[in-house]
């Protein structure tokens, strides 16, 4: 069953290759094709293509399919090329000639396009809500542990005093930047492409503003060629935003793995959140965070894939675009899982007490001690050389009493300011 079937048979090898695994992927966009089909049917009735009775029949038929999709009983059988042909077949099987009318004034191209727009829009919003949940968790952890000092590192060498409050809230504030990019991607896809048909519009007097309202898009993609050229551009934009968030999560997961190791020993987790070794009974491995790191890095590679699939394609539709869906949808589904498990696990973090009198942290306060000498009247260069000399000759004794008072520093986290900054 193909929407483009003209009664001519096609080589089985060619068919298998061109269909690929669209059937499996399209389950994720099935409900959005139903949403778009309802809007399209209402528009067809408004311009006289469908009668009121035919519209009612189509909407009831689409409701049945929507219920099946929601219940998980909707299946795209092997005789169908994709979800779009399956839905039209079911409507035709139930409603006869009325079902055949649903494809009037649209192409499979803009069916795919609008279904993807709707999927991307809803899932970008869902990811933002999951980011907000993790953001709130991190700021709560920062508040709880704001007075617990943590060694700060540069070049993986002990550098200056930090704190768990500073660490947790750093990643929280970084995620605000990721949400800015998610919002930009959301604005890109929150434009209705339906009505572009095969990329050049329709000779039917379709009402694209009606479908825009019905599907709750912010605006139209007015130019029909621009709408079709959005294939690929949408995915490149989204991949950049998802990749930015994935980078933040990957780096945070790496910190957790590092800080759990015995050589650092800053945090741990309940035994039930970790895994063991088949031969080393003492092991307590951070597998969850290692997989978060790996999956997040995989998502960061998506932007390059989207660019290479679509780079330098001329205007108009090309079958290359079919290849965009699989890994784009997989990235959304993986990122939602990553955010959920990260939030679940990090809430159970056990912050350890760190003995900053340990000899390996001896030089953690050298900069603070230099600054104390500067406040007392020495030039910075003189103070630097004095403390440096003490370090070299082994006479340095750290003074740990100095506080950092400026905005955003270890003793002035500004957690309320960071919380207020999160985009609404």
């Amino acid at each position: 069953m193909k929407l483009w079937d003209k009664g001519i048979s096609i080589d089985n090898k060619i068919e298998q290759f061109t269909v690929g695994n669209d059937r499996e992927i399209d389950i994720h966009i099935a409900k959005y094709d139903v949403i778009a089909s309802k809007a399209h049917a209402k528009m067809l009735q408004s311009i006289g293509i469908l009668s009121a009775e035919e519209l009612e029949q189509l909407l009831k038929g689409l409701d049945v399919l929507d219920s099946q999709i929601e219940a998980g009983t909707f299946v795209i059988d092997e005789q169908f090329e994709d979800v779009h042909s399956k839905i039209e077949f079911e409507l035709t099987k139930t409603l006869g000639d009325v079902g055949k009318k649903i494809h009037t004034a649209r192409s499979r191209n803009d069916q795919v396009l609008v279904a993807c727009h709707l999927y991307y829009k809803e899932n970008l919003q869902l990811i933002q809500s999951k980011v907000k949940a993790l953001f709130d968790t991190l700021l709560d952890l920062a508040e709880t542990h704001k007075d617990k000092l943590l060694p700060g590192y540069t070049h993986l060498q002990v550098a200056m005093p930090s704190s768990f409050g500073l660490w947790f809230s750093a990643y929280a504030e970084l995620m605000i930047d990721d949400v800015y990019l998610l919002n930009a991607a959301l604005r890109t896809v929150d434009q209705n492409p339906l009505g572009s048909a095969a990329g050049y519009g329709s000779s039917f007097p379709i009402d694209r503003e009606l479908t825009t309202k019905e599907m709750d898009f912010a605006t139209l993609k007015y130019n029909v060629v621009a709408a079709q050229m959005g294939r690929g551009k949408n995915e490149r934009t989204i991949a950049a935003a998802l990749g930015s968030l994935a980078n933040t999560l990957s780096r945070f997961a790496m910190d957790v793995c590092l800080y759990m190791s015995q050589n650092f020993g800053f945090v741990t987790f309940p035994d039930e959140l970790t895994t063991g070794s088949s031969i080393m009974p003492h092991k307590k491995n951070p597998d969850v965070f290692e997989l978060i790191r790996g999956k997040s890095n995989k998502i960061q590679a998506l932007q390059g894939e989207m660019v290479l699939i679509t780079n330098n394609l001329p205007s108009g539709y090309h079958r290359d675009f079919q290849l965009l869906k699989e890994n784009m949808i997989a990235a959304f589904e993986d990122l939602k899982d990553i955010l959920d498990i990260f939030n679940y696990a990090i809430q159970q973090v056990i912050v350890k007490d760190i003995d900053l009198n340990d000899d390996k942290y001896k030089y953690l306060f050298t900069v603070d001690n230099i600054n104390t000498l500067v406040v007392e009247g020495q030039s910075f260069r003189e103070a630097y050389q004095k403390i440096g000399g003490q370090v070299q000759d082994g006479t340095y004794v750290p003074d740990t009493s100095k506080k950092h008072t400026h905005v955003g520093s270890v003793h002035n986290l500004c957690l309320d300011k960071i919380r207020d900054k999160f985009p609404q």
Side-chain angles (χ1 to χ4, degrees):
M1 175 66 186
K2 307 173 190 66
L3 296 182
W4 49 270
D5 192 353
K6 299 184 287 289
I8 302 170
S9 62
I10 185 171
D11 187 292
N12 285 337
K13 285 186 180 292
I14 297 297
E15 182 174 4
Q16 187 176 3
F17 182 79
T18 55
V19 171
N21 57 352
D22 261 15
R23 300 180 192 95
E24 294 83 359
I25 300 165
D26 279 5
I27 287 294
H28 292 285
I29 62 170
K31 83 171 196 175
Y32 305 101
D33 191 73
V34 169
I35 291 169
S37 293
K38 286 181 178 180
H40 187 66
K42 290 177 183 178
M43 185 278 295
L44 290 178
Q45 192 271 328
S46 75
I47 64 171
I49 300 294
L50 295 175
S51 68
E53 183 182 354
E54 288 171 330
L55 173 61
E56 185 178 355
Q57 289 178 289
L58 282 168
L59 293 179
K60 285 181 179 178
L62 288 165
D63 281 340
V64 170
L65 295 174
D66 195 35
S67 298
Q68 293 174 3
I69 294 165
E70 184 69 27
T73 59
F74 180 84
V75 177
I76 305 172
D77 312 284
E78 280 193 12
Q79 73 258 37
F80 300 105
E81 191 172 22
D82 52 30
V83 68
H84 317 291
S85 53
K86 165 72 172 178
I87 287 175
E88 184 172 326
F89 173 84
E90 292 295 334
L91 291 175
T92 302
K93 184 175 74 172
T94 305
L95 305 174
D97 287 343
V98 174
K100 296 177 182 178
K101 292 186 176 184
I102 192 64
H103 200 59
T104 307
R106 70 177 182 179
S107 164
R108 185 174 66 165
N109 293 352
D110 64 338
Q111 275 187 266
V112 177
L113 190 51
V114 72
C116 286
H117 270 252
L118 290 168
Y119 171 87
Y120 296 152
K121 179 182 173 182
E122 183 170 302
N123 280 275
L124 282 167
Q125 292 170 327
L126 186 55
I127 282 176
Q128 286 188 8
S129 71
K130 292 179 183 294
V131 170
K132 182 60 163 63
L134 178 56
F135 172 86
D136 288 339
T137 293
L138 294 181
L139 287 189
D140 289 345
L141 287 169
E143 178 64 39
T144 300
H145 301 291
K146 64 183 179 183
D147 295 325
K148 300 199 76 169
L149 285 185
L150 173 73
Y153 290 80
T154 64
H155 307 274
L156 280 179
Q157 309 292 308
V158 171
M160 290 179 65
S162 180
S163 72
F164 284 98
L166 202 61
W167 181 55
F168 286 124
S169 59
Y171 281 105
E173 190 165 8
L174 279 178
M175 288 196 298
I176 293 175
D177 298 334
D178 299 326
V179 172
Y180 291 153
L181 293 178
L182 291 170
N183 278 334
L186 182 58
R187 288 193 68 178
T188 300
V189 299
D190 199 8
Q191 305 176 79
N192 177 23
L194 187 60
S196 57
Y200 299 96
S202 172
S203 57
F204 289 102
I206 58 175
D207 186 346
R208 299 185 65 211
E209 293 189 351
L210 187 153
T211 57
T212 300
K213 285 183 181 179
E214 284 291 330
M215 291 183 286
D216 196 30
F217 279 109
T219 187
L220 260 166
K221 197 76 167 183
Y222 288 97
N223 185 293
V224 291
V225 174
Q228 276 297 322
M229 289 177 71
R231 293 285 294 274
K233 188 176 182 68
N234 296 331
E235 285 78 8
R236 291 193 300 272
T237 303
I238 295 167
L242 299 187
S244 177
L245 175 58
N247 177 269
T248 301
L249 298 174
S250 177
R251 295 180 70 185
F252 192 10
M254 179 61 205
D255 274 6
V256 173
C257 294
L258 201 65
Y259 290 177
M260 270 190 73
S261 69
Q262 291 90 337
N263 288 349
F264 286 80
F266 299 157
V267 299
T268 189
F269 288 85
D271 289 348
E272 57 268 25
L273 266 66
T274 63
T275 60
S277 163
S278 62
I279 63 170
M280 293 173 285
H282 67 281
K283 292 299 291 297
K284 187 173 177 178
N285 299 325
D287 283 15
V288 165
F289 293 97
E290 290 173 348
L291 286 171
I292 287 172
R293 182 178 61 198
K295 286 174 178 282
S296 295
N297 290 341
K298 185 178 174 183
I299 290 169
Q300 289 182 75
L302 184 65
Q303 186 180 9
E305 179 183 328
M306 297 298 102
V307 169
L308 290 173
I309 289 173
T310 61
N311 197 37
N312 294 337
L313 287 180
S315 60
Y317 175 77
H318 309 278
R319 193 63 180 263
D320 311 53
F321 293 141
Q322 177 181 329
L323 304 177
L324 299 172
K325 281 188 299 183
E326 180 175 6
N327 287 341
M328 180 59 64
I329 289 173
F332 270 108
E333 300 304 318
D334 280 349
L335 193 49
K336 287 185 291 184
D337 288 343
I338 287 168
L339 287 164
D340 284 341
I341 198 66
F342 211 138
N343 192 34
Y344 175 78
I346 202 67
Q347 288 179 46
Q348 301 178 65
V349 67
I350 299 167
V351 171
K352 292 185 175 183
D353 292 323
I354 301 171
D355 181 10
L356 294 183
N357 293 316
D358 189 302
D359 196 52
K360 63 177 169 286
Y361 302 131
K362 185 175 181 180
Y363 302 123
L364 196 62
F365 298 92
T366 56
V367 176
D368 286 350
N369 299 161
I370 290 169
N371 293 348
T372 297
L373 295 177
V374 172
V375 170
E376 291 173 354
Q378 293 188 31
S379 70
F380 178 83
R381 186 54 53 208
E382 289 173 327
Y384 179 90
Q385 290 171 346
K386 180 175 182 178
I387 297 297
Q390 293 174 359
V391 168
Q392 291 298 318
D393 63 23
T395 60
Y396 172 75
V397 177
D399 174 6
T400 64
S401 64
K402 197 168 189 66
K403 298 294 183 182
H404 296 205
T405 58
H406 70 75
V407 164
S409 62
V410 66
H411 299 116
N412 185 9
L413 297 177
C414 298
L415 299 182
D416 55 336
K417 302 292 186 184
I418 295 173
R419 198 179 295 274
D420 289 344
K421 201 168 84 167
F422 194 92
Q424 300 300 315

mmCIF file of all heavy atoms in Angstrom, residues 31 97-98 114 116 165 236 287 346 412:
data_model
loop_
_atom_site.group_PDB
_atom_site.id
_atom_site.type_symbol
_atom_site.label_atom_id
_atom_site.label_comp_id
_atom_site.label_asym_id
_atom_site.label_seq_id
_atom_site.Cartn_x
_atom_site.Cartn_y
_atom_site.Cartn_z
ATOM 1 N N LYS A 31 0.715 9.643 16.027
ATOM 2 C CA LYS A 31 -0.334 10.479 16.623
ATOM 3 C C LYS A 31 -0.338 11.881 16.017
ATOM 4 O O LYS A 31 -1.378 12.533 15.935
ATOM 5 C CB LYS A 31 -0.185 10.533 18.135
ATOM 6 C CG LYS A 31 0.804 11.518 18.702
ATOM 7 C CD LYS A 31 0.637 11.586 20.217
ATOM 8 C CE LYS A 31 1.304 12.812 20.800
ATOM 9 N NZ LYS A 31 1.061 12.955 22.239
ATOM 10 N N ASP A 97 -15.157 5.453 0.065
ATOM 11 C CA ASP A 97 -14.705 6.586 -0.737
ATOM 12 C C ASP A 97 -14.415 7.831 0.100
ATOM 13 O O ASP A 97 -13.574 8.655 -0.274
ATOM 14 C CB ASP A 97 -15.744 6.924 -1.808
ATOM 15 C CG ASP A 97 -15.770 5.890 -2.920
ATOM 16 O OD1 ASP A 97 -14.783 5.125 -3.024
ATOM 17 O OD2 ASP A 97 -16.751 5.848 -3.681
ATOM 18 N N VAL A 98 -15.104 7.965 1.220
ATOM 19 C CA VAL A 98 -14.844 9.127 2.094
ATOM 20 C C VAL A 98 -13.394 9.085 2.585
ATOM 21 O O VAL A 98 -12.720 10.114 2.642
ATOM 22 C CB VAL A 98 -15.819 9.152 3.292
ATOM 23 C CG1 VAL A 98 -15.447 10.276 4.266
ATOM 24 C CG2 VAL A 98 -17.247 9.324 2.810
ATOM 25 N N VAL A 114 4.794 18.022 8.389
ATOM 26 C CA VAL A 114 3.986 18.573 9.482
ATOM 27 C C VAL A 114 3.977 17.632 10.676
ATOM 28 O O VAL A 114 4.000 18.094 11.833
ATOM 29 C CB VAL A 114 2.549 18.913 9.006
ATOM 30 C CG1 VAL A 114 1.723 17.663 8.746
ATOM 31 C CG2 VAL A 114 1.848 19.804 10.021
ATOM 32 N N CYS A 116 6.428 15.704 11.609
ATOM 33 C CA CYS A 116 7.725 15.908 12.269
ATOM 34 C C CYS A 116 7.747 17.229 13.034
ATOM 35 O O CYS A 116 8.248 17.290 14.163
ATOM 36 C CB CYS A 116 8.859 15.855 11.255
ATOM 37 S SG CYS A 116 9.232 14.187 10.649
ATOM 38 N N GLY A 165 28.216 23.359 46.555
ATOM 39 C CA GLY A 165 27.211 24.323 46.114
ATOM 40 C C GLY A 165 27.579 24.972 44.805
ATOM 41 O O GLY A 165 26.743 25.138 43.906
ATOM 42 N N ARG A 236 18.926 20.194 11.577
ATOM 43 C CA ARG A 236 20.256 20.737 11.920
ATOM 44 C C ARG A 236 20.151 21.659 13.130
ATOM 45 O O ARG A 236 21.011 21.630 14.024
ATOM 46 C CB ARG A 236 20.851 21.489 10.726
ATOM 47 C CG ARG A 236 21.254 20.600 9.554
ATOM 48 C CD ARG A 236 22.107 21.349 8.540
ATOM 49 N NE ARG A 236 21.446 22.503 7.968
ATOM 50 C CZ ARG A 236 20.661 22.477 6.896
ATOM 51 N NH1 ARG A 236 20.419 21.314 6.292
ATOM 52 N NH2 ARG A 236 20.110 23.568 6.415
ATOM 53 N N ASP A 287 27.949 2.895 36.471
ATOM 54 C CA ASP A 287 27.544 2.563 35.103
ATOM 55 C C ASP A 287 26.489 3.514 34.546
ATOM 56 O O ASP A 287 26.497 3.828 33.352
ATOM 57 C CB ASP A 287 27.018 1.123 35.041
ATOM 58 C CG ASP A 287 28.139 0.098 35.069
ATOM 59 O OD1 ASP A 287 29.270 0.486 35.413
ATOM 60 O OD2 ASP A 287 27.890 -1.079 34.767
ATOM 61 N N ILE A 346 20.894 11.621 40.656
ATOM 62 C CA ILE A 346 21.658 12.677 41.335
ATOM 63 C C ILE A 346 20.966 13.123 42.615
ATOM 64 O O ILE A 346 21.608 13.617 43.547
ATOM 65 C CB ILE A 346 21.918 13.877 40.382
ATOM 66 C CG1 ILE A 346 23.129 14.699 40.862
ATOM 67 C CG2 ILE A 346 20.685 14.769 40.271
ATOM 68 C CD1 ILE A 346 24.442 13.984 40.769
ATOM 69 N N ASN A 412 29.148 33.162 47.875
ATOM 70 C CA ASN A 412 28.024 34.021 47.472
ATOM 71 C C ASN A 412 27.444 33.450 46.170
ATOM 72 O O ASN A 412 27.635 33.986 45.083
ATOM 73 C CB ASN A 412 28.505 35.465 47.275
ATOM 74 C CG ASN A 412 27.360 36.425 46.987
ATOM 75 O OD1 ASN A 412 26.183 36.062 47.082
ATOM 76 N ND2 ASN A 412 27.702 37.656 46.617
#
